[in-house]
C-alpha cells in the first residue's frame, strides 16, 4: 500500500495526486510512502502535474498549540480524522452486437469492433480488473481484448453444442470464464469449478457472475434459476412466475449475495445484495438486456437494447445512447470502477499530539525502505521518512483511506494515484496507543562514510500523508537537491533543535537498527 504524502509549507496547500516529472517549484515537495521513492522533496521539491484523472486533496494547517510561539506550521489535531470523501468519478461502457463500444463518464475508450466483420455477433462484455480495459465476447466464443485486458484464449475455433451467452472476469487471476446457453463453462486463466453442460435445464442459461469472496461463480437461467459453483447459493426465482425472463445477474462486492435483472427491468435480490429500485415501472422503448453494479455495491445501472441507461442507488448517470440511431442493438454494459474524488469543502487534518511546555517522550520510526532493506538503489531518488510516536497516548488508531494506483498500465513515475474509498487503520508500528507528535526545528543530515562534510544538510519538512498522519519527509536525490545517489555507505541523522520533544527510543528494523540520543536519531544505509 502506498501513501501519497503532501508537503505543506503554509496555512493551506492544494496538490493533485499525480506523480510526474516536472519543473522545480520551491515549496511543493511530494513523496509517497515508506519503501517507495520519487523525485523532488525536502525543502525544495518538485511541482506535481496532472496526468489523466486526478484526486485533488486540500490539506489545511490550523493553530493547535500556543506553547510553541507562532511557528510556520501548525497542525490541527483530531482524534479520528479521515480524508473527506467526495463523489465517485466512475462511468460505464456499452457494447453493441456489432462490437461497437461506447464509453461514458470517466470510462476510457480502448477500442471496439464496429468496423470489423465478425463471424458471429457480440453477446456481452466484462471490465478488466482496475477498469483499464475490457473484453468482448461473441456468440461463437470469440474473445476480443482491449486496453490492459489480456487475451487468454477463446472458443472461436471450437464447435459448441450451444452458443455463448455471457462472460465474467476473474479478479484474482486476470482471466475469464465464458458460459453457453446450456450452462457449459469455458475457463481461460481462471479455475474451472463445474457447469450445467450435462444437466437438463428447464430454461437456458443467460448469464453468469464471479464470486469475489470464493473465486467461484454463479450461472443464471432465464427463469431465474441460479446454479452455484464454489460459491454459496442464496436463492433464486426458479419457482416464481415472472412477468418477463431474466437476462442477467451481478454479484455483491462482498460475495455474500447477488442480483437478477429481468427484461422488463425487474430486480430480484438475494443475500446481502440491496434493492435500490427497478425499471419495471419506468417507460422504456426497448427491453433491458444487461445490468452491472456500482463499485460500492450500493447501486446499479441497467441498459436497454437501444442504449438507454437506468440508474439506481449510488450509480451515477453519465449519459446513454437512448434516442441514437444504432447500427446494431446494445447487448451489454460494464461498470468502470472509477475512484473517489476528494471532498471539496472539508479539509484533511492530521492525527497528532500537541507538544505542551513540558517535554514529550517519543519513539522515532524511520521509513521501512531504510530500516527493513539491505540495500537501496544507486542513481534513483530515495525516500527518507521519520515519524515521532508518543507511545503513551490514549485513544484509537487514526483511520484514513487507502491510496491506490489509478493507472496500473503506466510506469510508476507517470502514474496517477487516488483513493478507492477503502479504509485502513493505523500504519507503521500499528499499535492502538500511539499518536504522532509534530514539532518545529527538525533537520536532516546525510553524510557519506569517511567524510566530514555532509552531503545533504536541510530542514526536514512536516507532511500529512493520505491517512491523515504527521510524518517528516525528504526525497534524497533528484532535482530538488541537485545531487544523485551514488553507491556507498551513508549515515542519515534526523535532529531536533529547540523543541520540547525528547527521543527515548527507536523502532527497530529487520535489516538495520537505528540509534538515538535525546535530540537525534541516526541510521546507516547502504546504496548499491
Amino acid at each position: 500500500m502506498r501513501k501519497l504524502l503532501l508537503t505543506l509549507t503554509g496555512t493551506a496547500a492544494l496538490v493533485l495526486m499525480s506523480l510526474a516529472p516536472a519543473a522545480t517549484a520551491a515549496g511543493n515537495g511530494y513523496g509517497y510512502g515508506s519503501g517507495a521513492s520519487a523525485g523532488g522533496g525536502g525543502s525544495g521539491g518538485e511541482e506535481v502535474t496532472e496526468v489523466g484523472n486526478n484526486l485533488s486533496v486540500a490539506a489545511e494547517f490550523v493553530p493547535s498549540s500556543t506553547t510553541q510561539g507562532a511557528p510556520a506550521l501548525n497542525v490541527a489535531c483530531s482524534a479520528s480524522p479521515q480524508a473527506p470523501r467526495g463523489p465517485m468519478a466512475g462511468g460505464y461502457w456499452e457494447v453493441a452486437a456489432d462490437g461497437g463500444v461506447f464509453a461514458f463518464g470517466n470510462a476510457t475508450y480502448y477500442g471496439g469492433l464496429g468496423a470489423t466483420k465478425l463471424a458471429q455477433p457480440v453477446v456481452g462484455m466484462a471490465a478488466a480488473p482496475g477498469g483499464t480495459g475490457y473484453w468482448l465476447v461473441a456468440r461463437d466464443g470469440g474473445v476480443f481484448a482491449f486496453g490492459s485486458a489480456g487475451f487468454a484464449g477463446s472458443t472461436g475455433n471450437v464447435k459448441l453444442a450451444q452458443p455463448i451467452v455471457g462472460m465474467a472476469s476473474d479478479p484474482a487471476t486476470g482471466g475469464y470464464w465464458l458460459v453457453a446457453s446450456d450452462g457449459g463453462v469455458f475457463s481461460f486463466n481462471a479455475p474451472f469449478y463445474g457447469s450445467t453442460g450435462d444437466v437438463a435445464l428447464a430454461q437456458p442459461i443467460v448469464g453468469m457472475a464471479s464470486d469475489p469472496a470464493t473465486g467461484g461463480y454463479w450461472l443464471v437461467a432465464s427463469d431465474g434459476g441460479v446454479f452455484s459453483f464454489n460459491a454459496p447459493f442464496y436463492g433464486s426465482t426458479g419457482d416464481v412466475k415472472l412477468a418477463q425472463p431474466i437476462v442477467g445477474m451481478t454479484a455483491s462486492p462482498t460475495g455474500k449475495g447477488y442480483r437478477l435483472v429481468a427484461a422488463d427491468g425487474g430486480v430480484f435480490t438475494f443475500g446481502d445484495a440491496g434493492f435500490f429500485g427497478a425499471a419495471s415501472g419506468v417507460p422504456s422503448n426497448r427491453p433491458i438486456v444487461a445490468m452491472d453494479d456500482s463499485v460500492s455495491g450500493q447501486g446499479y445501472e441497467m441498459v436497454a437494447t437501444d442504449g438507454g441507461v437506468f440508474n439506481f442507488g449510488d450509480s451515477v448517470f453519465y449519459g446513454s445512447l437512448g434516442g441514437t440511431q444504432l447500427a446494431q442493438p446494445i447487448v451489454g454494459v460494464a461498470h468502470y470502477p472509477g475512484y473517489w474524488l476528494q471532498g471539496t469543502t472539508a479539509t484533511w487534518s492530521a492525527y497528532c499530539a500537541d507538544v505542551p511546555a513540558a517535554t514529550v517522550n517519543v519513539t522515532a520510526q524511520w521509513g521501512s525502505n531504510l530500516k527493513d532493506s539491505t540495500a537501496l538503489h544507486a542513481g534513483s531518488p530515495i525516500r527518507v521518512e521519520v515519524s515521532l510516536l508518543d507511545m503513551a497516548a490514549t485513544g484509537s488508531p487514526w483511520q484514513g483511506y487507502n491510496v491506490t494506483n489509478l493507472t496500473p498500465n503506466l510506469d510508476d513515475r507517470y502514474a496517477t494515484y487516488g483513493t478507492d474509498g477503502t479504509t485502513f487503520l493505523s500504519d507503521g508500528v500499528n499499535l492502538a496507543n500511539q499518536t504522532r507528535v509534530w514539532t518545529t526545528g527538525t533537520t536532516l543530515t546525510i553524510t557519506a562514510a569517511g567524510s566530514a562534510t555532509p552531503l545533504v544538510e536541510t530542514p526536514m519538512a512536516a507532511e500529512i500523508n493520505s491517512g491523515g498522519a504527521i510524518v517528516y519527509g525528504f526525497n534524497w536525490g533528484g532535482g530538488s537537491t541537485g545531487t544523485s545517489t551514488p553507491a556507498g555507505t551513508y549515515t542519515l541523522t534526523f535532529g531536533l533543535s529547540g523543541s520540547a520533544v525528547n527521543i527515548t527510543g527507536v523502532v527497530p528494523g529487520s535489516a538495520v537498527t537505528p540509534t538515538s540520543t535525546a535530540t537525534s536519531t541516526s541510521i546507516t544505509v547502504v546504496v548499491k
Side-chain angles (χ1 to χ4, degrees):
M1 178 189 70
R2 300 190 187 282
K3 302 183 189 117
L4 191 83
L5 304 179
L6 312 181
T7 302
L8 306 181
T9 57
T11 57
L14 177 65
V15 297
L16 294 174
M17 279 191 169
S18 173
L19 304 180
T24 298
N28 288 335
Y30 72 85
Y32 55 95
S34 302
S37 62
S43 59
E46 292 190 0
E47 184 177 320
V48 181
T49 57
E50 181 174 357
V51 178
N53 297 316
N54 291 271
L55 177 68
S56 296
V57 179
E60 184 176 2
F61 278 151
V62 179
S64 62
S65 173
T66 59
T67 60
Q68 300 178 55
L73 301 181
N74 294 284
V75 180
C77 294
S78 171
S80 181
Q82 291 190 12
R85 192 175 71 181
M88 186 71 177
Y92 40 80
W93 299 277
E94 296 184 26
V95 63
D98 61 359
V101 174
F102 307 87
F104 297 90
N106 293 276
T108 299
Y109 175 77
Y110 293 103
L113 302 169
T116 303
K117 182 175 175 60
L118 300 174
Q120 292 290 328
V122 169
V123 294
M125 76 182 304
T132 54
Y134 43 77
W135 296 277
L136 310 183
V137 62
R139 192 171 183 268
D140 60 358
V143 174
F144 307 88
F146 299 90
S148 66
F151 177 77
S154 75
T155 61
N157 59 355
V158 176
K159 182 175 176 59
L160 300 172
Q162 294 295 327
I164 297 297
V165 293
M167 75 180 302
S169 65
D170 182 355
T173 66
Y176 45 83
W177 299 276
L178 311 183
V179 63
S181 62
D182 62 357
V185 174
F186 304 88
S187 303
F188 299 93
N189 190 30
F192 176 78
Y193 291 112
S195 73
T196 61
D198 57 355
V199 176
L201 300 172
Q203 294 294 329
I205 297 296
V206 294
M208 73 181 303
S210 61
D211 182 346
T214 67
Y217 45 83
W218 297 280
L219 311 182
V220 63
S222 63
D223 62 357
V226 174
F227 304 88
S228 304
F229 299 92
N230 193 40
F233 176 77
Y234 293 107
S236 75
T237 61
D239 57 355
V240 177
K241 182 174 176 60
L242 300 172
Q244 291 290 325
I246 297 297
V247 295
M249 75 182 304
T250 63
S252 166
T254 65
K256 297 180 180 179
Y258 42 76
R259 300 182 184 89
L260 313 182
V261 61
D264 61 357
V267 175
F268 305 87
T269 62
F270 301 91
D272 70 354
F275 176 80
F276 301 103
S280 52
V282 178
S284 176
N285 296 324
R286 296 289 187 271
I288 299 298
V289 289
M291 179 171 74
D292 204 0
D293 289 350
S294 65
V295 175
S296 68
Q298 300 303 301
Y300 38 82
E301 60 263 354
M302 54 186 76
V303 64
T305 57
D306 64 353
V309 175
F310 304 87
N311 303 82
F312 301 90
D314 68 359
S315 174
V316 177
F317 178 76
Y318 292 102
S320 76
L321 297 169
T324 303
Q325 185 169 351
L326 299 172
Q328 293 291 326
I330 296 298
V331 294
V333 64
H335 192 91
Y336 168 62
Y339 55 94
W340 294 101
L341 292 174
Q342 177 71 10
T344 56
T345 59
T347 57
W348 204 331
S349 62
Y351 182 37
C352 60
D354 286 338
V355 177
T359 298
V360 174
N361 293 328
V362 299
T363 297
Q365 176 179 242
W366 288 87
S368 60
N369 63 320
L370 304 175
K371 64 186 179 68
D372 296 330
S373 300
T374 56
L376 301 168
H377 298 294
S380 299
I382 296 172
R383 177 66 180 170
V384 180
E385 189 174 295
V386 177
S387 299
L388 299 179
L389 309 175
D390 180 1
M391 309 301 281
T394 59
S396 301
W398 52 266
Q399 185 178 45
Y401 287 115
N402 191 16
V403 173
T404 58
N405 188 345
L406 304 177
T407 52
N409 57 321
L410 296 179
D411 184 276
D412 195 58
R413 294 173 300 165
Y414 304 102
T416 297
Y417 285 81
T419 177
D420 59 6
T422 304
T423 59
F424 66 91
L425 285 175
S426 195
D427 77 335
V429 180
N430 202 28
L431 297 175
N433 293 332
Q434 63 160 302
T435 188
R436 303 301 182 97
V437 172
W438 172 82
T439 186
T440 57
T442 53
T443 61
L444 175 69
T445 302
I446 302 176
T447 306
S451 174
T453 304
L455 179 68
V456 173
E457 193 169 19
T458 180
M460 198 167 187
E463 302 174 346
I464 298 179
N465 68 17
S466 63
I470 289 292
V471 298
Y472 301 88
F474 180 79
N475 294 318
W476 174 20
S480 65
T481 61
T483 62
S484 61
T485 50
T489 300
Y490 300 88
T491 298
L492 284 60
T493 300
F494 172 82
L496 301 171
S497 175
S499 74
V501 175
N502 182 43
I503 299 176
T504 57
V506 293
V507 177
S510 58
V512 181
T513 298
T515 61
S516 67
T517 67
T519 58
S520 68
T521 175
S522 297
I523 189 170
T524 299
V525 299
V526 177
V527 179
K528 293 184 177 180

